[in-house]
Amino acid sequence: MAENKKTEAKKPVEKTAKPAKAEENKAVAEKAPKAKKANKKEEVTKAEAKKPMPTEARATATNVRVTPRKARLVLDLVRGKDVKVALGILYNVNRAASTPVIKVIKSAVANATNNFGMDESSLFISEIYANDGIKMKRYLPRAKGSASGLVKRSCHITCVVKMR
């Protein structure tokens, strides 16, 4: 029985020691999540800092109802020029493709200034091209009840602007 008394005497000592450790563990547990949250924020800012700043912005107009060949005649006039000079040229060009090209260039400039914080006055057109879009196939009635094929072409106009 003496052994039981010893163990009983030891148990209250251990019970008083355990709550103190539990309180310490709670304090440590409360501090740890805060530290993890701070680390996550730091990791996010580090990841953002590691991203390279974009040097170009692009815009695309799809299925423009102008043939690619006619659009390329207009695009060749402005390739490699500053944006303000290019828009000045396009406003004075009497071609059907000039209005969609103006819209694409303005959209690329807006993307550069609003999304990437580039300076509008230092932008130039680094790439501008027209690819084939959808081709609508139609029939044209001809003499003596026959018909011939008609292809209505469209194009995709893409413009890339960069800073000088």
Side-chain angles (χ1 to χ4, degrees):
M1 287 190 188
E3 293 175 11
N4 289 339
K5 289 181 182 176
K6 287 181 183 175
T7 54
E8 287 176 11
K10 288 182 181 177
K11 285 181 182 177
V13 173
E14 290 175 6
K15 286 181 181 176
T16 57
K18 284 183 181 178
K21 288 182 181 178
E23 289 174 7
E24 290 176 9
N25 290 339
K26 285 181 183 178
V28 170
E30 289 175 3
K31 291 179 182 177
K34 290 179 183 176
K36 286 182 181 178
K37 287 180 184 177
N39 289 338
K40 286 182 183 178
K41 288 180 183 177
E42 290 175 6
E43 289 174 7
V44 170
T45 55
K46 287 179 183 178
E48 290 175 359
K50 290 180 182 179
K51 286 184 182 177
M53 285 299 294
T55 59
E56 64 182 30
R58 67 177 54 234
T60 304
T62 57
N63 297 325
V64 178
R65 284 288 291 124
V66 177
T67 64
R69 186 173 176 178
K70 291 178 182 177
R72 287 183 192 119
L73 291 172
V74 176
L75 298 179
D76 291 340
L77 297 172
V78 295
R79 189 174 289 118
K81 297 207 169 30
D82 288 339
V83 171
K84 289 182 181 179
V85 174
L87 290 175
I89 291 169
L90 289 174
Y91 282 124
N92 294 309
V93 172
N94 189 19
R95 294 276 183 173
S98 63
T99 52
V101 171
I102 288 171
K103 284 185 179 182
V104 171
I105 292 173
K106 284 184 176 180
S107 178
V109 170
N111 290 341
T113 56
N114 294 327
N115 298 345
F116 306 125
M118 295 183 192
D119 183 27
E120 186 176 348
S121 61
S122 64
L123 292 175
F124 76 101
I125 299 171
S126 64
E127 294 178 40
I128 190 164
Y129 52 88
N131 293 332
D132 283 343
I134 59 171
K135 297 175 186 173
M136 295 187 290
K137 296 182 179 178
R138 303 288 183 259
Y139 289 105
L140 191 66
R142 304 305 293 217
K144 298 181 181 178
S146 65
S148 60
L150 185 68
V151 179
K152 295 186 176 184
R153 299 177 189 276
S154 66
C155 66
H156 305 311
I157 301 172
T158 304
C159 177
V160 179
V161 293
K162 290 185 180 180
M163 287 182 66
R164 285 204 193 263

